[in-house]
Amino acid sequence: METFSELSLKEVDLRQLEAEGSHEDPLPEDCWDFSVAVAGGPGVGKTVLIQALLGFNENGQHSRAAFLNPKKPNGPLLYLHPLHPGLTFWELPLDNGSPEKWISEADLLLLVTDGQFTQAHVDLASSALIQAKKLCLVRTKVDCDLHTLKRRMKEDYSRVEVLSALRTVILEPFNDMVKKEALTLFLMSGFEPYKLDAPALKAKIEKTSQELGRALCLEQQGYEVIDYEEIAELQSALERGGISEMVRFIQSSLDSLLDTRFDLALMGGNPGFRHSILNSLRGLKDGEDGSAHGGNPENPIEYACLKYPKASLWDLPGMESLESQPKKYMESVHMGRYDFTMLFLTPWQEASSSYRSLVHELQKEGKKSVFIQDCEDDEMPPGPREDEVFVLSPTKLAGTEFHRLLGYLEKKLSSHKLRAFMLSLPNLSAEVTLKKKEALSQEVWKVALLSSLVACVPVPGVAIACDLSLLTARLDTYRQELGLDADSLANLSHKSGVPVPQLMLEIQSPAGKGVTRQLVQKMLGSATGIGLEVAGVFLHRFPLLGPLATGGIAFHASYLVLSRCLEAMADDAQRVLSRAQSPPKTISY
């Protein structure tokens, strides 16, 4: 395995690399988990260098770093590549604590100076050599040297010769290493950070990341929902009270995610049509036990969702005598409790002035609403529609208009509320199943990290079993929420007419067929061996302190099992739904 780059220091090679790295095309679709440690003393231009490599500018909207140690000015900073999910940069100090302990977690080390390299740089490079790490040397602010030499040398100045001489002088402390390794030195400008060897260094990093990086699967490429704010909050908790406080914060965040309520109100229009839509959203047929029926209620009636008990649909009475008094109507139906309101219209009906007044009052209260128009005989009304008007058919709910409605809700609801709504829905279509998987993926990294941390440092008072039992329970929950459990299959068989055994044939993943402690233990055992090659991107976002470092493999294994099982069960759910929607076929037992 190569330890150092074998690129020549000749300018012709650097020009070739510059040509390779100067294009603005997006990075390849294949994504890799690859981290770059940028180490140097204060004021040498590490931040400017990193931002140039990421394509940022000092005042750009993407220039903000995720602070790993926000309260410690000399601590490491983490930068995330906006187009390449697996490519991360650490900015590390050279003094006040050597960054040597971070080198083991990095794939490539950039040693940076704005003057001459010192013995501290040489020692750090030797440490990287011992660990078989890739290494590049970077000399910043070269434009200042060029300006000074040009002024002094006058007509004797030759840019090519000066750059060559600078390379020789700068590399002197590494002469012994140069004899053994083809060290690459990149010269960078301070005032024009995108010039000189910047494109060549960028090309080198991208090429090395593809050669040595660990491939990320699709769900890892999206990073789920781990954002700058969560990183900062987790790190802040770690600084306040160590691992124990971090565990409590993660559990609180996870509890908040799992306990989110969602209340959807439906009112107006034809009661039969409104109730048919309400029943379909709960996975029931009209006339079944527990389904909505009859005329307009006198008071709001709650219908709990079968798949997600913390979500409810509410059938509201009509405005009637309060038609001209929207505020009083809102008070009478307790409108403040609902997260979203669907206002139903009869076929071809335009929103009345009273409806418009109600919408205006809802907007003043910060409430969100849409108009739902009845579609008779599955015929779409002619002409363009407003963005807040959606035409639905109870006999063909999961059509284009319904998916357009889901897209609208994604823009209007918070991520927690949207997650609750999506998980409350039955598997109406392939798109709904995919969105369910995306909603469930929000918690995967939290469950995995919580499990690994508590396994390292038991925290008194934390009322959750963060071990095999937790993973088993969560996977079984995924199975139920994706409609692969016995009750869900029986309901789907009843509605579709496809026998349960035929539906079960479409379930191919072991976890989709049933989740047991023995199965999870087996999967964890096989995941640990390759845990360091997958899901590694998360741990690159935090300083690996104490027990967190020792829990790394546990996190990798838990994360891998949860994410892969979720992906496989979502595929099972897609196949089951497709089979339920296809014509029945005979089967021999």
Side-chain angles (χ1 to χ4, degrees):
M1 179 179 177
E2 292 182 75
T3 306
F4 295 99
S5 168
E6 296 182 356
L7 292 173
S8 169
L9 298 180
K10 296 180 181 179
E11 277 203 328
V12 62
D13 294 321
L14 288 174
R15 285 198 301 269
Q16 180 181 354
L17 269 178
E18 182 172 348
E20 294 176 2
S22 61
H23 60 78
E24 297 298 329
D25 294 335
L27 290 162
E29 292 184 2
D30 293 335
C31 291
W32 313 96
D33 172 18
F34 191 81
S35 62
V36 182
V38 182
V44 300
K46 300 188 296 293
T47 302
V48 174
L49 170 64
I50 293 174
Q51 291 180 349
L53 294 173
L54 294 177
F56 300 161
N57 58 63
E58 186 176 357
N59 299 316
Q61 60 176 341
H62 298 295
S63 63
R64 181 163 59 102
F67 287 81
L68 292 178
N69 285 289
K71 298 179 182 178
K72 302 176 183 178
N74 293 324
L77 303 179
L78 181 66
Y79 296 78
L80 310 178
H81 198 293
L83 300 178
H84 191 324
L87 182 56
T88 57
F89 286 78
W90 299 350
E91 181 180 334
L92 307 176
L94 191 63
D95 47 10
N96 296 326
S98 170
E100 186 171 351
K101 63 183 179 180
W102 304 99
I103 302 274
S104 61
E105 294 299 324
D107 300 297
L108 171 65
L109 171 64
L110 304 186
L111 279 179
V112 185
T113 184
D114 61 352
Q116 192 70 5
F117 284 105
T118 65
Q119 188 59 43
H121 294 100
V122 175
D123 293 342
L124 197 57
S126 299
S127 177
L129 262 176
I130 293 173
Q131 299 181 55
K133 298 294 181 179
K134 288 285 186 179
L135 173 66
C136 291
L137 306 176
V138 181
R139 169 62 153 81
T140 60
K141 305 179 183 179
V142 173
D143 46 348
C144 297
D145 298 83
L146 295 179
H147 177 75
T148 300
L149 290 171
K150 185 175 183 179
R151 179 170 52 84
R152 291 180 178 178
M153 298 175 67
K154 297 181 180 178
E155 65 272 5
D156 294 329
Y157 175 81
S158 168
R159 180 183 175 89
V160 174
E161 292 178 359
V162 167
L163 286 174
S164 178
L166 276 175
R167 295 183 192 279
T168 301
V169 173
I170 293 170
L171 280 173
E172 280 183 359
F174 295 95
N175 281 343
D176 292 339
M177 293 185 187
V178 170
K179 295 176 182 178
K180 301 177 182 178
E181 304 289 344
L183 287 180
T184 307
L185 174 65
F186 295 88
L187 304 180
M188 309 295 292
S189 170
F191 291 103
E192 298 178 300
Y194 294 94
K195 295 189 176 181
L196 286 178
D197 295 342
L201 179 56
K202 181 179 179 182
K204 173 65 177 176
I205 292 172
E206 293 178 2
K207 181 179 179 182
T208 306
S209 72
Q210 295 177 19
E211 290 176 347
L212 302 182
R214 294 161 294 280
L216 295 174
C217 57
L218 287 177
E219 65 268 21
Q220 291 168 313
Q221 293 179 23
Y223 276 58
E224 287 79 34
V225 289
I226 313 173
D227 56 23
Y228 288 118
E229 286 72 19
E230 286 179 305
I231 292 173
E233 289 173 353
L234 282 170
Q235 184 62 32
S236 178
L238 183 64
E239 291 175 356
R240 286 197 310 271
I243 298 296
S244 299
E245 185 63 27
M246 193 175 184
V247 167
R248 291 190 178 94
F249 174 81
I250 297 170
Q251 182 182 355
S252 175
S253 176
L254 188 59
D255 289 344
S256 175
L257 184 67
L258 301 179
D259 291 338
T260 300
R261 276 203 58 84
F262 181 76
D263 293 280
L264 173 66
L266 298 86
M267 64 161 291
N270 183 305
F273 168 67
R274 186 177 73 246
H275 292 155
S276 292
I277 296 294
L278 191 155
N279 294 333
S280 296
L281 292 175
R282 297 177 66 226
L284 295 176
K285 289 182 176 180
D286 291 345
E288 282 191 280
D289 291 340
S291 63
H293 59 277
N296 288 319
E298 295 182 2
N299 298 296
I301 299 179
E302 179 181 9
Y303 293 90
C305 292
L306 306 180
K307 300 295 296 182
Y308 191 87
K310 294 185 181 299
S312 293
L313 306 183
W314 294 80
D315 186 26
L316 303 189
M319 296 183 70
E320 299 173 350
S321 60
L322 298 176
E323 187 170 351
S324 60
Q325 305 176 65
K327 280 189 177 181
K328 285 190 176 182
Y329 174 79
M330 290 172 61
E331 293 175 0
S332 69
V333 297
H334 310 291
M335 194 66 80
R337 80 163 48 121
Y338 312 119
D339 299 295
F340 208 89
T341 304
M342 290 184 176
L343 305 173
F344 283 76
L345 305 173
T346 55
W348 316 105
Q349 175 191 354
E350 295 289 339
S352 63
S353 59
S354 57
Y355 257 19
R356 293 293 183 185
S357 298
L358 178 60
V359 170
H360 179 68
E361 291 298 329
L362 288 172
Q363 291 174 342
K364 287 172 59 176
E365 297 292 331
K367 296 297 181 179
K368 304 172 182 65
S369 62
V370 293
F371 289 110
I372 303 297
Q373 194 168 58
D374 188 349
C375 178
E376 288 185 332
D377 301 323
D378 297 340
E379 291 183 1
M380 298 292 290
R385 298 181 306 283
E386 299 179 46
D387 291 341
E388 297 81 9
V389 179
F390 300 88
V391 182
L392 301 182
S393 167
T395 60
K396 193 178 178 182
L397 179 60
T400 303
E401 281 290 277
F402 181 71
H403 296 130
R404 189 171 73 89
L405 173 61
L406 294 182
Y408 182 84
L409 292 175
E410 287 180 355
K411 299 175 183 177
K412 298 298 181 179
L413 297 176
S414 68
S415 60
H416 282 29
K417 294 292 186 180
L418 179 66
R419 177 187 184 276
F421 175 64
M422 292 309 307
L423 295 181
S424 74
L425 295 175
N427 289 349
L428 297 169
S429 66
E431 291 85 348
V432 170
T433 303
L434 177 60
K435 290 184 181 296
K436 279 191 175 187
K437 185 197 75 172
E438 293 172 351
L440 291 170
S441 70
Q442 294 183 29
E443 69 177 57
V444 167
W445 69 271
K446 293 181 181 180
V447 175
L449 184 59
L450 189 62
S451 179
S452 63
L453 288 177
V454 175
C456 300
V457 182
V459 179
V462 175
I464 189 168
C466 294
D467 55 10
L468 195 62
S469 300
L470 171 64
L471 300 180
T472 303
R474 292 312 303 155
L475 285 174
D476 192 55
T477 299
Y478 297 166
R479 183 168 172 266
Q480 295 179 41
E481 290 176 329
L482 289 170
L484 300 177
D485 59 299
D487 288 343
S488 297
L489 293 175
N491 290 334
L492 183 59
S493 174
H494 173 68
K495 289 193 297 182
S496 65
V498 179
V500 170
Q502 291 189 19
L503 298 176
M504 293 180 64
L505 287 176
E506 305 299 330
I507 303 176
Q508 300 177 7
S509 69
K513 295 177 181 178
V515 181
T516 64
R517 288 175 60 91
Q518 292 74 19
L519 174 63
V520 177
Q521 192 167 23
K522 181 180 178 180
M523 290 189 293
L524 284 172
S526 61
T528 303
I530 57 174
L532 296 179
E533 298 179 5
V534 294
V537 66
F538 181 88
L539 291 183
H540 286 318
R541 297 182 173 206
F542 296 94
L544 306 186
L545 303 176
L548 181 56
T550 61
I553 293 179
F555 168 79
H556 284 302
S558 300
Y559 182 94
L560 180 62
V561 168
L562 288 168
S563 59
R564 283 191 171 177
C565 285
L566 177 58
E567 183 79 17
M569 285 191 283
D571 291 341
D572 288 336
Q574 297 277 25
R575 286 189 293 269
V576 168
L577 179 62
S578 178
R579 180 68 193 91
Q581 293 174 342
S582 62
K585 60 182 179 181
T586 58
I587 182 172
S588 57
Y589 302 102

